[in-house]
Amino acid sequence: MLDTDPSLIAALRADLAAADYSVTRVLDLLGPVAANALAREQVIPAERVTRESTDPAAVLVRLFTLGDPVDQARVEAALPRLGAAGALRLGLVRAEGDALLALVDLRPYGDDEHTWWIASDLSELATRAPLPVDHVLGVGGASATLAAWTPRPRVRRALDLGTGCGVQALHLSTHAEEIVATDISERALNIVRFNAALNEQDWDIRQGSMLEPVAGERFSLIVSNPPFVITPRDHGLPTYEYRDGGQSGDAVVEHLVTHLGEHLEPGGIAQIIGNWEVVGDAAWGERVADWAARAGVDVLVLMREMQDPAQYAETWARDGGQQSGTGEFARMYAAWLDDFAARGVSGIAFGLITLHRPADERTPWIEIRDARGPVRPPLGPVLLAQVEARDWLARHTDQEVLDTAWTVAPDVTLVQVSRPGEPDLSYLELRQSEGLQQSDLLSGDFGTAAAAYIGVADGELTARQAIVAIAALLDRDQAVLLDDFTIRIRQWVADGILR
Ligand SMILES: C[S@@+](CC[C@H](N)C(=O)[O-])C[C@H]1O[C@@H](n2cnc3c(N)ncnc32)[C@H](O)[C@@H]1O
């Protein structure tokens, strides 16, 4: 267990800062080859680069990331204020002869403007053994995905549900006044308390399952990278606390989608990631659409990935540290296949689910999209803009949409293809180069009219004024064109093609 003695934590913080133990410094030190190998969970290049170095940051990488034994004298030199004795008292290391061995992983983490340090349990690459079931995860791929896609308006109260090491709470600290962080795991709570102290954060940290610790409370922003991994029950498989909420199938994500709305302030947003099952021949979005219909708030689902049952079994049997080819791996693989077969599961979707409580009484909207293509960060602002645009559309009539002077977003380009001599375009493509990088393909006579409208949508004319003029110019029925455009403009506004 980690200690949170304030004077020892302050000494550690000062040492880490003095060692320039930052993301950039560590990347510089390792170089791209060792850093990329480490990202693939291969330690040998990083060990070779840091082995002889007396640079304090290199010593800290060896000790806290690679899990190597490091001479006490070198640790003393890298952490002069805390010293080896202080590191032992905080529970960061244990002694073995003249060497110290890390008991936790401790790494720099940050965004463009912040440097933080995050303790978590040692990874498999440091322990060279399968993970224990109460393992507390460091910053992983899913953590980074959620952090990147979270809309970040300035808010008063935010919740990080299933906080783990507290990585999402650290991001929230940049734009939320008060933060509640919850987890069911005793170990995670100890680690997140340590990380909060180390990064000078004052979070309200609570233990409990799912939404129980915040019963009756509301937040302006909720984020959760929940234990969403679908895990077979009754097969004797390890139940890793960090990824498995102990329920059958995708029930954890269903529970959050259908209940998070009750905890949102009017205008509040919840951002989660997770898996949902696709059953038999059903459309991939059917199940999540059913949950969304019961959410009682607006729901935007972006599906980013689809796996078949075998791919899913391979991913998660390996994730706990099992090597493919072993008997245990084969047993786990078969358990996943049996579990999916029992429910007729043909696919497992992964995506981002955004919930929004309207500020006033109105019917919630639901939007479920295949967003598997390439995307360009920053994505949080894109999601926020999509929610705000859909909220605006839900509060305005078609007539109001037509009476607005829209502007084409600066990242939109037009590709027009036509046959020589033909009056109408063969097709028109509107392409976004930022965010979700969506495109809209239009053809025939509507494509010609759409190209004309997009060409003049610069915030001067209302949509109605422009479309009336285009109808006259192209000799089209004005009423039909206004109707066609109303549907299309709503979609373009929702997608951020028009602003
Ligand atoms: C995938 S980890 C996410 C950790 C961290 N928030 C991140 O983004 O990396 C899921 C977290 O949920 C916690 N957890 C598991 N079951 C839970 C439950 N029933 N209620 C609340 N938290 C739970 C785990 O202990 C773990 O810390």
Side-chain angles (χ1 to χ4, degrees), residues 138 143 160 162-164 167-168 183-185 208-210 225-227 241-242 245:
S143 332
D160 175 15
T163 190
V167 49
Q168 308 301 335
D183 208 289
I184 200 167
S185 151
S209 184
M210 302 296 277
N225 169 10
E241 236 168 2
Y242 69 85

Side-chain angles (χ1 to χ4, degrees), residues 64-78:
F64 288 120
T65 301
L66 306 181
D68 287 347
V70 178
D71 272 357
Q72 287 220 17
R74 283 212 172 159
V75 176
E76 291 277 0

Side-chain angles (χ1 to χ4, degrees), residues 135-140 142-144 146 160-168 182-185 188 208-211 224-228 240-246:
H135 178 80
V136 177
L137 209 58
V139 180
S143 332
L146 176 62
D160 175 15
L161 190 154
T163 190
C165 62
V167 49
Q168 308 301 335
T182 68
D183 208 289
I184 200 167
S185 151
S209 184
M210 302 296 277
L211 289 157
S224 186
N225 169 10
F228 62 78
Y240 292 109
E241 236 168 2
Y242 69 85
R243 66 180 208 199
D244 170 9

